[in-house]
Amino acid sequence: MNKIISYLLIYIIWLLLSWPFNPLKIQDILVGLVVAFIPVILFVKKSKKSFSKSSSKLEIKRIGWAILYIPVLIYNMIIANFDVLYRIISPELPIKPGIVKINTTLKSSMARAILCNSITLTPGTLTVDIKEDIIYVHWINITTSSRNVATKKIAGRFEKILKKVFE
Amino acid sequence: MYYLGITIIGIGIFFNLAGCVGLIRFPDVYNRLQAATKCVTLGTSSILFGIFVIKGFTPAGTKALLVMLFVLITSPTGAHALARGAYRYGVKLWSGSKKDEYSEEFNQKDIKISDERSRELSDERFGEE
């Protein structure tokens, strides 16, 4: 099942990339059918649990939260950019960098990967490593020494939504 | 529509420029990665989005959207890999850094092993030469 879905997705991406089709030749479309097999064989494992047990099927609610996640992410990205921009441009370089630990309550690997990427894209934080429940984050402007406050500040806004999507 | 697209592309170029300035001004690898991932990701994305706004759902516009998605996924992943690799290789944080909780992760034993390994590696390298 997993493989079929990935195959179709890859094929659709192939079609989009080779869009202006030459109407007389269908090579592009046929080659795509073959080429899409390669990444599926190489990289897609048999259905792994990227969702937790209780949520093997897609629900409308879940998709709704996933769609809501996109504007939240974009909003945070733009805020992040102005934040970093301010630090770059101001002459005295107002940074207090360091690496802090934060906790995550997310269980599935997919959710964690998305959380880490989101952390990297948002205000002044960069994921360095993840071990079990602990994420190491490089923070450009440390404002607190408590781990809980840092967790809330860095991951809080995404974790709530990701929990609803994946768990 | 054309002017809106041009404006978005202009904003993107501005952010890319800021990212480059940040690359020069910030003190260490990790801070520079911050500038490189944030400003350059949004800058490049908005350039591509500007192209999409101008071109619409034509072949070129759709490709711009696809590439934007690709950049959004790969850029933070690459930055993460670079930061982790740099730290494991032994690049120090800037002297003005406030905190380094990641160093707790490597206890004495690990450091010894990595020392031995690096010595082996350097031996191999010299052997080849």
Side-chain angles (χ1 to χ4, degrees):
Chain A
M1 197 58 204
N2 223 344
K3 289 195 175 185
I4 298 167
I5 292 171
S6 341
Y7 179 77
L8 287 176
L9 258 178
I10 293 166
Y11 187 53
I12 289 169
I13 290 173
W14 171 276
L15 287 181
L16 285 175
L17 282 176
S18 58
W19 185 354
F21 305 119
N22 191 334
L24 297 176
K25 298 170 184 172
I26 53 167
Q27 283 103 321
D28 281 352
I29 298 164
L30 291 179
V31 168
L33 279 174
V34 180
V35 169
F37 264 116
I38 299 170
V40 170
I41 291 165
L42 286 180
F43 300 118
V44 181
K45 288 169 190 158
K46 263 183 196 167
S47 50
K48 219 174 144 192
K49 276 174 207 149
S50 60
F51 292 87
S52 63
K53 274 177 198 167
S54 60
S55 62
S56 49
K57 55 185 174 181
L58 288 168
E59 296 154 23
I60 294 169
K61 238 186 201 174
R62 213 177 282 282
I63 297 170
W65 281 109
I67 291 169
L68 183 76
Y69 188 71
I70 297 168
V72 171
L73 182 65
I74 291 173
Y75 169 74
N76 276 307
M77 266 181 73
I78 292 167
I79 296 288
N81 274 277
F82 282 107
D83 184 69
V84 175
L85 195 68
Y86 157 69
R87 286 179 210 292
I88 289 170
I89 289 175
S90 61
E92 68 269 20
L93 216 63
I95 53 174
K96 286 185 267 171
I99 295 177
V100 296
K101 277 179 180 179
I102 62 168
N103 297 321
T104 176
T105 49
L106 296 169
K107 290 287 174 287
S108 73
S109 54
M110 184 75 176
R112 282 181 181 177
I114 294 175
L115 178 69
C116 288
N117 272 7
S118 309
I119 285 174
T120 303
L121 283 173
T122 50
T125 50
L126 177 84
T127 314
V128 178
D129 203 354
I130 179 165
K131 283 267 164 67
E132 306 290 316
D133 282 349
I134 299 167
I135 305 176
Y136 293 92
V137 174
H138 182 266
W139 199 358
I140 206 168
N141 190 27
I142 294 179
T143 50
T144 171
S145 55
S146 139
R147 197 198 289 188
N148 289 333
V149 179
T151 306
K152 227 178 228 168
K153 269 197 164 171
I154 295 173
R157 53 199 146 194
F158 302 121
E159 251 183 357
K160 270 183 244 156
I161 300 175
L162 283 177
K163 239 189 186 156
K164 279 175 180 139
V165 177
F166 286 98
E167 271 152 38
Chain B
M1 224 51 195
Y2 179 76
Y3 291 103
L4 182 67
I6 291 290
T7 315
I8 295 174
I9 290 176
I11 292 169
I13 291 171
F14 172 67
F15 273 116
N16 268 358
L17 180 71
C20 295
V21 173
L23 267 181
I24 297 165
R25 287 203 69 199
F26 279 164
D28 68 355
V29 181
Y30 310 98
N31 288 309
R32 284 178 173 163
L33 275 173
Q34 297 262 10
T37 49
K38 285 180 191 71
C39 290
V40 175
T41 309
L42 190 80
T44 312
S45 302
S46 52
I47 289 173
L48 290 165
F49 190 71
I51 293 171
F52 170 72
V53 168
I54 292 173
K55 294 282 184 185
F57 279 100
T58 56
T62 322
K63 269 166 213 164
L65 268 193
L66 271 182
V67 175
M68 187 175 133
L69 197 70
F70 183 75
V71 169
L72 278 180
I73 294 170
T74 51
S75 164
T77 316
H80 150 73
L82 277 173
R84 188 167 178 270
Y87 200 97
R88 300 213 152 206
Y89 188 71
V91 179
K92 295 273 186 311
L93 268 80
W94 179 47
S95 53
S97 300
K98 296 285 171 199
K99 240 185 187 183
D100 183 10
E101 289 181 341
Y102 191 37
S103 60
E104 295 162 17
E105 188 61 41
F106 307 100
N107 53 33
Q108 217 56 35
K109 203 179 155 196
D110 281 345
I111 290 166
K112 250 183 205 164
I113 290 170
S114 69
D115 266 0
E116 276 167 22
R117 200 183 295 151
S118 66
R119 213 170 293 138
E120 278 169 24
L121 281 174
S122 66
D123 283 350
E124 277 172 23
R125 215 177 294 148
F126 283 119
E128 276 172 20
E129 283 170 8

